[in-house]
Amino acid sequence: MKNFHENYLRTIDEVIRQGAYKDNWASLSEYPEPLWYRNAKFGIFIHWGVYSVPAFGNEWYPRNMYLQGTPEYEHHLTTYGEPKDFGYADFIPSFRAEKFDADEWITLFKAAGAKYVMPVAEHHDGFQMYDSEVSEWNAAKMGPKRDIVGELREAAEKEGIVFTASSHRAENYWFFGGGREFDSGIQKTTFREPYGYAAPLYSTGDISATHDIYSTSPTREHLEDWLVRTCELVDKYRPKIVWFDWWIHNLAFKPYLKKFAAYYYNRSQEWGVEVAINYKYDAFAFGTAIFDVERGQLSDIRPRLWQTDTAIAKNSWGYTNNNDFKNPVDIVCDLVDIVSKNGCLLLNVGPKSDGTICAEEAEALRSIGQWLEVNGESIYDTTYWKIYGEGSTKVPEGAFTDADRAAFTSEDIRFTYKTPYLYATVLDWPANNEVLIKALKAGGPLFEGHIANVELLGFDHPVSFRRSAEGLELSVNGSIETKYPVCLKITLD
C-alpha cells in the first residue's frame, strides 16, 4: 500500500508538471465554469452507506455511537451491546444492498427532472462505496460486494444524466475520536480501517472548532492518503463534479487542494470534458471552484455559479426510521429561488440499507418532476435576470437555514431569463388570479422595452395585462387550483 501511495503521488506531480493547470490559485482561476453545469440546475445527491443499517439518529451514527451519553450511544448499548463487542465495522455484513437496482434509481431521478446525480463515494465513516486499490474497506470487497458507484455511473450515462461524486474523507481523521475516551475497542489503535486515526481532537459532540481554519491539523499521512483516494476516484470513474465537505478548509489542506484541482482539471482536458469542484466556506480561492451552501441559500444573485445542497429529510441525510420529510411544494419553491440567484439545487435522498428508496422520498421526487415537466423551460438553460425577484418574504443567507422559514406569499415572485423570455414565477398563486409585477412598471429603471405577450405555463387560460406606474398588472381568466408555484412566460421585445 505504501508503494501504491508513493507511485500515485509521483503520477499526480507529473500530470501537474505536464498539464496546463498548475497547483496555484492564479492558474486554477483560469479554469472555466462548465456550461453543462450552468444549464443543469437540478441534481440528486445520494447518502447511502453502512450507516443505513442501524438507521437511527442520522448518518453520523458511526461517530455518535462512540460518544458516551448521546442517544446513539444509548441506542447502541440497548440494541447491539457495548461498542467494544459490536463496533461500527460489525454492521458491514448487514449492509447487503440486496434490492439495489441502479437502473431503477436513475429512472426515478430522471422522472424527477434531475440532470446530474451524485452518490457519496466515501463518507466520514471511511467505507468506500466503490472499488478501490487504496483500501479493502469498500462495497466491492465487503458488504454488498458490488461497485455501487460504478453501477450508478453506468446507469446514469445510459440515460444521459451527468455522473458526479462526493468525498467526505477529510473528516475521517477525527470522526471516531470519541472512541479514545473509554473502552470502546478502538481506544488504543494508531491507524485502523475504517476508523482512520480516530484523532481525539473533538471528543465530544461539539465540533464547532472544526470550522476554525486554524484548528488542529491532520497528519501528512492523512493528507497524502486523502489526495491519493480522491485522485483515484477521479481516474476510475471520471465524475464531472467532485464535491467536498467542510473540513478541507483547514489550513493544512491548502497545498493538497491545489494539487487535486490541478490534477483534476488537467485530467479533464485529457478526457475532453468540463468538470467542477464543489467547496464550502473559503476552502478554495474565489473563482477556482464552485461555491456550495449546505441546507441554505443566498439572499441575492451571485454572478458566479453556486449550489445549494440539501435533503428531502429535514433531520438526516441518510435513511432513518424517523425521518421528517419536507413538502415537495417547499422544495420546488426553493429550487425556483435558487435558480433565480444563479444557483443549482442538489437534493439528497437517503436509501434504506437494502437499496430501496422510501415511498416518501420517491413521491417527493415524482412530484418535483411533474412540476418540472410543465415548467422546466423556466429552470433549465436559463440565467438570472437584472434582479432575482420581488416580494416581502426574506430568505436568510447561509448554511442550515432551510428547515424553518417563513412561507412564501403571492407577492413573492422570482425571475429567470432566456432570450427573449422573462419567466416570472409566482411562488404562491393568489386566489383572485391577479398579479402585480412591480419590476416591470411603466417607465421603471429595470425594463423600458416592449412587452409583446404574457402566457401561463401549464394552463390554457388567457392572460390580460397592462403596464402602469405601479407595475405590470396581470389578470388570468380561469380557475387555477394548485399549491405549487405558477410561471408566467413574458415575451420581451
Side-chain angles (χ1 to χ4, degrees), residues 66-333:
Y66 289 100
L67 292 176
Q68 293 174 293
T70 64
E72 289 85 352
Y73 175 80
E74 299 299 333
H75 172 81
H76 196 85
L77 287 181
T78 58
T79 310
Y80 306 104
E82 295 278 353
K84 67 179 180 180
D85 299 321
F86 191 99
Y88 181 65
D90 293 308
F91 284 116
I92 294 173
S94 298
F95 181 47
R96 295 188 293 271
E98 62 271 24
K99 296 181 181 178
F100 169 60
D101 186 322
D103 291 322
E104 283 187 6
W105 282 19
I106 295 300
T107 297
L108 174 61
F109 302 155
K110 190 171 184 178
K115 299 299 184 182
Y116 57 106
V117 61
M118 182 182 289
V120 171
E122 181 179 355
H123 206 256
H124 315 319
D125 65 345
F127 187 81
Q128 299 165 301
M129 295 294 286
Y130 58 97
D131 191 11
S132 173
E133 298 300 317
V134 177
S135 172
E136 297 294 308
W137 293 80
N138 64 67
K141 297 181 177 70
M142 296 181 177
K145 296 186 177 179
R146 295 170 65 176
D147 182 356
I148 302 299
V149 167
E151 290 184 38
L152 283 168
R153 179 197 177 203
E154 181 180 358
E157 292 181 347
K158 281 192 301 185
E159 292 297 331
I161 293 179
V162 175
F163 176 78
T164 70
S166 76
S167 169
H168 311 235
R169 173 68 187 179
E171 294 81 1
N172 179 256
Y173 181 69
W174 49 260
F175 197 60
F176 291 96
R180 299 288 194 189
E181 303 297 311
F182 67 102
D183 185 13
S184 66
I186 62 173
Q187 80 278 13
K188 294 181 181 179
T189 60
T190 53
F191 177 88
R192 175 179 162 193
E193 296 274 23
Y195 305 102
Y197 291 92
L201 305 182
Y202 317 103
S203 56
T204 69
D206 181 12
I207 60 159
S208 58
T210 66
H211 294 271
D212 180 359
I213 188 175
Y214 303 110
S215 62
T216 305
S217 302
T219 62
R220 177 179 176 179
E221 290 79 10
H222 178 75
L223 291 164
E224 289 182 347
D225 179 69
W226 173 89
L227 180 61
V228 169
R229 284 178 186 247
T230 314
C231 290
E232 183 201 36
L233 176 67
V234 161
D235 285 333
K236 287 180 71 76
Y237 301 98
R238 298 190 180 186
K240 290 186 180 177
I241 302 172
V242 174
W243 183 103
F244 292 119
D245 215 338
W246 85 99
W247 203 50
I248 61 163
H249 80 291
N250 182 285
L251 187 62
F253 275 92
K254 293 293 184 180
Y256 298 87
L257 297 181
K258 296 171 191 175
K259 278 184 178 290
F260 170 72
Y263 184 80
Y264 186 34
Y265 291 166
N266 285 322
R267 284 297 201 207
S268 76
Q269 284 204 322
E270 294 176 22
W271 307 331
V273 299
E274 297 176 308
V275 302
I277 297 170
N278 291 152
Y279 72 97
K280 299 176 183 178
Y281 304 108
D282 285 305
F284 280 77
F286 179 78
T288 63
I290 307 299
F291 181 62
D292 180 275
V293 183
E294 180 176 354
R295 289 191 181 273
Q297 291 159 223
L298 299 185
S299 59
D300 207 338
I301 293 169
R302 182 184 176 103
R304 289 195 65 90
L305 182 68
W306 62 281
Q307 178 178 264
T308 287
D309 71 289
T310 191
I312 297 176
K314 298 177 184 179
N315 58 304
S316 177
W317 293 86
Y319 176 78
T320 79
N321 294 317
N322 296 296
N323 274 359
D324 179 16
F325 299 103
K326 294 178 182 176
N327 186 322
V329 175
D330 295 332
I331 297 172
V332 170
C333 286

Side-chain angles (χ1 to χ4, degrees), residues 268-480:
S268 76
Q269 284 204 322
E270 294 176 22
W271 307 331
V273 299
E274 297 176 308
V275 302
I277 297 170
N278 291 152
Y279 72 97
K280 299 176 183 178
Y281 304 108
D282 285 305
F284 280 77
F286 179 78
T288 63
I290 307 299
F291 181 62
D292 180 275
V293 183
E294 180 176 354
R295 289 191 181 273
Q297 291 159 223
L298 299 185
S299 59
D300 207 338
I301 293 169
R302 182 184 176 103
R304 289 195 65 90
L305 182 68
W306 62 281
Q307 178 178 264
T308 287
D309 71 289
T310 191
I312 297 176
K314 298 177 184 179
N315 58 304
S316 177
W317 293 86
Y319 176 78
T320 79
N321 294 317
N322 296 296
N323 274 359
D324 179 16
F325 299 103
K326 294 178 182 176
N327 186 322
V329 175
D330 295 332
I331 297 172
V332 170
C333 286
D334 284 345
L335 171 63
V336 175
D337 179 73
I338 290 162
V339 172
S340 75
K341 297 169 182 174
N342 198 35
C344 296
L345 172 61
L346 179 61
L347 182 67
N348 181 75
V349 297
K352 298 179 180 180
S353 65
D354 65 3
T356 57
I357 295 173
C358 69
E360 294 88 346
E361 290 190 328
E363 181 56 32
L365 292 177
R366 293 189 187 98
S367 297
I368 294 165
Q370 289 167 4
W371 186 87
L372 282 168
E373 183 70 25
V374 173
N375 299 279
E377 68 173 91
S378 69
I379 299 295
Y380 307 123
D381 306 321
T382 63
T383 187
Y384 56 92
W385 193 52
K386 299 176 182 179
I387 59 173
Y388 71 85
E390 59 187 49
S392 59
T393 305
K394 301 299 181 184
V395 174
E397 179 155 332
F400 303 102
T401 59
D402 69 340
D404 186 20
R405 292 206 306 254
F408 289 114
T409 72
S410 59
E411 294 181 355
D412 293 311
I413 300 169
R414 296 294 182 265
F415 301 120
T416 54
Y417 184 71
K418 181 165 50 183
T419 310
Y421 305 113
L422 176 66
Y423 297 94
T425 302
V426 183
L427 298 182
D428 183 27
W429 189 258
N432 64 4
N433 287 340
E434 294 181 357
V435 174
L436 176 67
I437 303 178
K438 297 176 182 178
L440 295 176
K441 67 182 179 180
L446 291 173
F447 183 69
E448 299 182 76
H450 174 61
I451 295 176
N453 188 47
V454 180
E455 59 187 297
L456 284 168
L457 295 185
F459 299 92
D460 294 329
H461 310 325
V463 181
S464 59
F465 63 94
R466 75 181 189 94
R467 296 178 82 179
S468 70
E470 299 300 316
L472 180 65
E473 301 175 6
L474 305 110
S475 180
V476 175
N477 185 14
S479 176
I480 295 180

